[in-house]
Amino acid sequence: MQIRIVQDAPLSARTEALVVPIFEGTPLDGTSKEVDAAAGSAISEALAAGEIKGKFGETILAYAKDRPFRRVLAIGLGESAKFETPLLARYAAIAVRSLGRRNVTTFAIALPKQAEVDAAATASFVAEGAIAGSFETTVYQTSPEKKIAVSTIDLLAGGLDAKALERGAARGTILGEAVNFARRLAITPANDMTPAILAEQATSAAKSASLEIDVLDEERARKEGMGSFLSVAQGSVQPPKFIVMRYNGDPGSKELLALVGKGITFDSGGISIKPAERMEEMKYDMSGGAAVIATMSALGQLKPKINVVGIVPATENMPGGKATKPGDIVKAMNGKTIEVINTDAEGRLVLADGLCYAAKLGATKIIDVATLTGAVVIALGHAAAALVSNDDAFAKDFLAVAKPAGERFWQLPYYDDYTAQMKSDIADLKNTGGRAAGTLTAAAFLRAFVENTPWIHLDIAGTAYLDGESAWQAKGPTAIPVRSFVALAESLST
Ligand code: BES
Ligand code: MN
Ligand code: ZN
């Protein structure tokens, strides 16, 4: 997908469709008003008839006779007073999905006047949203019903600074592609996304983005003392891969941000096996890892001045003959012993060694991200991911960049009580703490592997993939928190 910044006046845009915004309860103005007049009042009549109100995501498509643009698509952006720049990503995505499914290959898109506040951010959201909107979930279908045909978008600059728009569009393109990369890794079924294939994908991404990469195999992981990670892998015939990607954007600095993503390419639960219902969704259990790999790929292209290491312990969780049994005790890289009460609480076991390895590499800040607990769906549903941290200032900085990036996180508390719940009678820790506060006992477990390094834990079990599609988003993987990770790296860039 190509996003071009064009200086054309909207009415002379020579294209297959012209996209304009409308707001609920606000009379048409600016470009939308001009275009409405040129298209025989198609929009204002639909509004007057109550066919649309301008609510977010509503659309009206009309043919514009004898105009250089053949169609007009008006898209509702909701109440004008509630407008926020990240909504432009959805605006562009709705245009791509609705026009693309009608075989439109190219369209021009006008911006609302609120976009004037920040031209670069505006273009970034449009590009990111357009690319994310084009994501196809039908790659395995032999003859998919409706492909999204859009290949080129002309962003009408209006009066905005063209240089800033170009810069924003370039960033948004890289980000949108990273988002789709993470989604493609996540949606690919486990037979085609084994730990080895995930490592190959990371390797080729590293090559294209000039990143360093190191993939530790089972033998090296054993030498490193990653007994917790390997205890999850031992029930599977697929060899585990411990993926380490490195972006050195600030070689003079000792600061190192570590992103650690859960890379369970399939979670059957192991010996504590899951029920059959919806088990197929457990191909998504490497969504955190996918987000880390895709973020690294974006950073290699965006080149912020910061050092980042991406760590993805990748393995299947299977109940093979050599599988870990409930009651087994394993040892993590930092020497701590763990009683495995439930083999389905495997994410924290692989992350434990991932966090230890981040510390070994000298991480000065650590964020882990994982589809870790069903309990987070009970707490927050699919509306927000949970955030737990040992450092309120770091959490605050992350939340401050995540929101304007268009992703939702909600901070949950860390109390010593949760750590107490994870004490084992026989080992240093156990891997489950009972039903109460399942998301927080999981976080308390992880905290035992980060010592005092500022750390954030993100539980994306409720937000990594969605059950239904919307006007702007395909059903399935969301790529959370790629947008926030990229925004954080940029904000830490010196
Ligand atoms: N991968 C699951 C968590 C999950 C559940 C992700 C639903 C997405 C949707 C994780 O490995 C798991 O099985 N967690 C257990 C932990 C429990 C055994 C302490 C859970 O949440 O039930
Ligand atoms: Mn599990
Ligand atoms: Zn899992």
Side-chain angles (χ1 to χ4, degrees), residues 262 267 274 281-282 285 342 344-348 371-375 377 431-434 461-462 465:
K262 173 178 173 181
D267 181 12
K274 289 181 179 294
E281 290 181 1
M282 287 302 118
D285 215 18
N342 188 320
D344 198 11
E346 85 298 339
R348 61 200 76 183
T371 46
L372 203 63
T373 65
V377 187
N431 78 331
T432 62
Y465 55 93

Side-chain angles (χ1 to χ4, degrees), residues 9-21 31 34-36 38-39 43 60-62 64 67-75 91 95 99 104 106-110 154 156:
L11 294 189
S12 50
R14 192 162 295 283
T15 180
E16 291 171 53
L18 180 52
V19 179
V20 295
T31 307
E34 264 182 75
V35 170
D36 178 53
I43 307 169
I60 179 104
L61 181 70
R67 296 286 171 183
F69 47 92
R70 307 231 337 268
R71 306 171 185 82
V72 171
L73 175 69
I75 300 179
Y91 172 56
L99 292 171
V104 169
T106 167
F107 64 81
I109 187 165
D154 289 340
L156 299 171

Side-chain angles (χ1 to χ4, degrees), residues 13-242:
R14 192 162 295 283
T15 180
E16 291 171 53
L18 180 52
V19 179
V20 295
I22 52 175
F23 289 94
E24 188 178 359
T26 311
L28 292 179
D29 64 355
T31 307
S32 308
K33 193 174 174 183
E34 264 182 75
V35 170
D36 178 53
S41 306
I43 307 169
S44 47
E45 277 183 25
L47 285 165
E51 189 179 335
I52 52 166
K53 292 197 163 63
K55 283 190 192 305
F56 195 89
E58 281 182 338
T59 59
I60 179 104
L61 181 70
Y63 273 81
K65 209 167 169 292
D66 301 331
R67 296 286 171 183
F69 47 92
R70 307 231 337 268
R71 306 171 185 82
V72 171
L73 175 69
I75 300 179
L77 289 185
E79 283 172 48
S80 171
K82 288 187 184 159
F83 178 82
E84 291 172 349
T85 319
L87 290 178
L88 292 174
R90 295 184 178 187
Y91 172 56
I94 293 169
V96 166
R97 293 174 69 74
S98 68
L99 292 171
R101 288 226 172 99
R102 293 167 187 269
N103 252 345
V104 169
T105 61
T106 167
F107 64 81
I109 187 165
L111 295 168
K113 62 173 185 298
Q114 287 96 327
E116 285 162 21
V117 182
D118 187 342
T122 290
S124 179
F125 280 116
V126 169
E128 174 208 320
I131 290 167
S134 72
F135 184 71
E136 303 269 15
T137 57
T138 53
V139 285
Y140 279 86
Q141 289 174 2
T142 43
S143 45
E145 251 176 50
K146 272 184 185 161
K147 291 279 240 179
I148 297 168
V150 177
S151 60
T152 311
I153 299 172
D154 289 340
L155 175 58
L156 299 171
L160 300 188
D161 176 357
K163 280 246 161 60
L165 289 172
E166 294 282 1
R167 202 165 8 97
R171 175 197 184 263
T173 300
I174 291 169
L175 182 55
E177 276 161 7
V179 161
N180 286 355
F181 178 35
R183 293 159 90 194
R184 189 167 56 71
L185 294 175
I187 202 172
T188 304
N191 58 330
D192 282 345
M193 194 48 65
T194 60
I197 298 172
L198 188 64
E200 276 168 27
Q201 291 281 325
T203 304
S204 74
K207 207 173 220 173
S208 340
S210 328
L211 305 167
E212 288 172 16
I213 182 156
D214 186 18
V215 178
L216 286 73
D217 61 8
E218 184 185 338
E219 196 187 322
R220 278 185 64 203
R222 181 156 292 117
K223 277 192 191 130
E224 292 286 351
M226 298 177 175
S228 187
F229 168 56
L230 291 174
S231 77
V232 177
Q234 73 195 40
S236 168
V237 295
Q238 293 294 338
K241 301 288 170 188
F242 190 97

